[in-house]
Amino acid sequence: MTSKKLVNTVAGCADEALAGLVACNPSLQLLHGHRVALRSDLESLKGRVALLSGGGSGHEPAHAGFIGKGMLTGVIAGAVFTSPAVGSILAAIRAVAQAGTVGTLLIVKNYTGDRLNFGLAREQARAEGIPVEMVVIGDDSAFTVLKKVGRRGLCGTVLIHKVAGALAEAGVGLEEIINRVSAVAKAMGTLGVSLSSCSIPGSRPTFELSPDEVELGLGIHGEAGVRRIKMASANEIVTLMLDHMTASSNVSRVPVQSGSSVVLMVNNLGGLSFLELGIIADAAVRTLEGRGVKIARALVGTFMSALEMPGISLTLLLVDEPLLKLIDAETTASAWPNVAKVSVTGRKRSRAAPAEPLEAPVSTVAGGLTSKRVMLVLERVCTTLLGLEEHLNALDRAAGDGDCGTTHSRAARAIHGWLKEGPPPASPAQLLSKLSLLLLEKMGGSSGALYGLFLTAAAQPLKAKTDLPAWCAAMDAGLEAMQKYGKAAPGDRTMLDSLWAAGQELQAWKSPGANLFQVLTKAVQSAEAAAEATKNMEAGAGRASYISSARLDQPDPGAVAAAAILRAILEALQGQGV
């Protein structure tokens, strides 16, 4: 079965993708009749060296994203994963020559088709009297045994574009640019790893992996790598990659060792989430610095992809100060990142959090709670929420992302950990305030924010009094805060429904002589009935409001959780004979 792709036609996808880039970038132009993109200010390059690169499409933003002042003059694109036509390469060479450039350098990745087609175009151009030279870049560090064809050209080629572009912009001659970039290429290595393959438009995936496997050392055309390894953590995979890239037994290694200074590229092969990319980048920086390697610059993003392949490549380039100046040189290329021109290593990466304000002394009022009693109540609540995790997640899958139970369990575990640190405050106001901060920090999601709001507001009336009317006022204050900031109202099918129903019953506490347990029991029963009734409500707030109400035939998980918390509090107090 072929994969789904948002294209118009398979045959036209490369042309249309290039046309889209040019259409949105006034500094680029298409060469009529060819799949070639050039700088629109070619005439400004008179007297300087032109830089042309390219290859198959599907590696976006390479190569056209790196056209601009200080990088490439133009690119020649082939069909997806296919070398460009000789005629188009020759047309690009002629175009830049006619603009008055003093020579052209072809920067070619080491693949057979690219070498042949760019090489043929070079020979034809030289026969016409055009000065053209070619460098073939191979930065692949996957193969431990020397291959006759040499190392494949991978993401490190983008660094060659940058160095050559800076030199050309400075007016350096063709021969010197060749010598400089050839030396740079020898001090560089790239290694890729992927969780699965990619698929060319109109085709099936190029290889299959089992759920517990990842591919190590693969190229950028969906071809398989040097070996398959078991799925592991990001830290373990990054360590394995760096070990492989720098091993002395590897003939394609990068000679990086303690004391080396490097540029690090963390390249998204196309389908990896930004979340994972950040985790990989963090692991790479920590691992290299742990080995005494200085990271002079770090580039993280998508530079040379393999369509939608969910994987990454790491590139290491040994650098000195002169080379760093070329890396740092200005460029207008749209895909080159805005990299800070300072070393990554040695920079302070955190600052002390602001000190929390000193707690105001709490007045001594009647109705304080003993720490033991508070702990028993909280333990009961936590046990209840942990037991409901799967049930709440199942309810949440109908209208949310299926994590309501997980979120509440996270809160329960956070409270458990907090209780182990020492006895909780006996003051109700301080207790609720501490719980609020804990849930805001540890629980996460909208539930954490709503509980935090509720508890913060509820704590305020309890600072002066802690009798039953004060607890009723605390409930009212919490509900008001939830409605004010959460924008939910009773009947909107949210956790507020349970709490609101309980709050109406707690109004009885305002009457003289009200019985704690009678009122609280009725409040819990009302909350449970309200939670059950949410399955017949149309969602008016929260994530469920975006889903057709016809699909919501289960109670709202937040309402169920709130009712369960109130039930746990009641049963814990009854068990203590309060």
Side-chain angles (χ1 to χ4, degrees), residues 138 151 160 181-189 253-255 317-318:
R151 303 161 74 186
I160 300 297
V181 299
S182 296
V184 171
K186 293 176 182 177
M188 178 173 64
R253 72 183 181 278
V254 194
L317 168 63
L318 288 161

Side-chain angles (χ1 to χ4, degrees), residues 146-161:
L146 187 63
K147 298 285 184 177
K148 181 179 180 180
V149 295
R151 303 161 74 186
R152 294 174 294 190
L154 302 176
C155 185
T157 309
V158 174
L159 292 176
I160 300 297
H161 295 162

Side-chain angles (χ1 to χ4, degrees), residues 441-488:
E441 180 182 355
K442 302 293 187 180
M443 187 175 186
S446 56
S447 296
L450 287 169
Y451 280 118
L453 277 168
F454 178 86
L455 292 170
T456 298
Q460 305 315 306
L462 296 172
K463 289 181 176 179
K465 295 182 178 180
T466 57
D467 54 10
L468 291 182
W471 280 98
C472 179
M475 186 70 164
D476 291 344
L479 290 170
E480 181 181 354
M482 289 180 72
Q483 291 181 88
K484 178 179 179 180
Y485 295 103
K487 297 299 183 184

Side-chain angles (χ1 to χ4, degrees), residues 323-398:
L323 183 52
L324 274 179
K325 289 182 179 179
L326 298 175
I327 297 291
D328 290 341
E330 295 299 322
T331 178
T332 60
S334 61
W336 184 258
N338 182 20
V339 182
K341 297 175 176 61
V342 293
S343 176
V344 170
T345 300
R347 181 177 59 89
K348 189 175 182 180
R349 294 182 184 138
S350 65
R351 66 171 62 216
E356 294 185 13
L358 296 175
E359 291 183 0
V362 180
S363 60
T364 304
V365 294
L369 305 173
T370 66
S371 294
K372 180 179 179 181
R373 181 174 296 166
V374 170
M375 290 185 69
L376 290 173
V377 170
L378 292 177
E379 290 285 357
R380 183 64 168 263
V381 170
C382 292
T383 301
T384 298
L385 292 178
L386 290 171
L388 285 173
E389 180 174 3
E390 288 305 318
H391 177 57
L392 294 175
N393 281 343
L395 292 177
D396 195 31
R397 291 186 192 105

Side-chain angles (χ1 to χ4, degrees), residues 18 35-38 51-67 72-79 81-85 88-89 92 104-111 113-115 117-118 134-137 153-154 157-158 161 220-221 304:
L18 193 60
R35 199 181 288 129
V36 173
L38 298 166
L51 304 175
L52 296 176
S53 189
S57 297
H59 303 303
E60 289 73 22
H63 302 82
F66 301 108
I67 301 174
L72 296 177
T73 309
V75 304
I76 309 94
F81 293 171
T82 303
S83 299
S88 291
I89 302 171
T104 298
L105 178 61
L106 305 178
I107 302 173
V108 181
K109 297 188 302 302
N110 188 27
Y111 286 96
D114 289 346
R115 289 199 316 271
N117 289 0
F118 277 90
M134 185 170 90
V135 291
V136 179
I137 306 302
L154 302 176
T157 309
V158 174
H161 295 162
I220 52 172
H221 303 98
M304 186 173 288

Side-chain angles (χ1 to χ4, degrees), residues 204-217:
R204 297 169 60 89
T206 52
F207 62 83
E208 298 289 341
L209 287 173
S210 64
D212 65 339
E213 288 181 322
V214 296
E215 194 81 12
L216 178 72

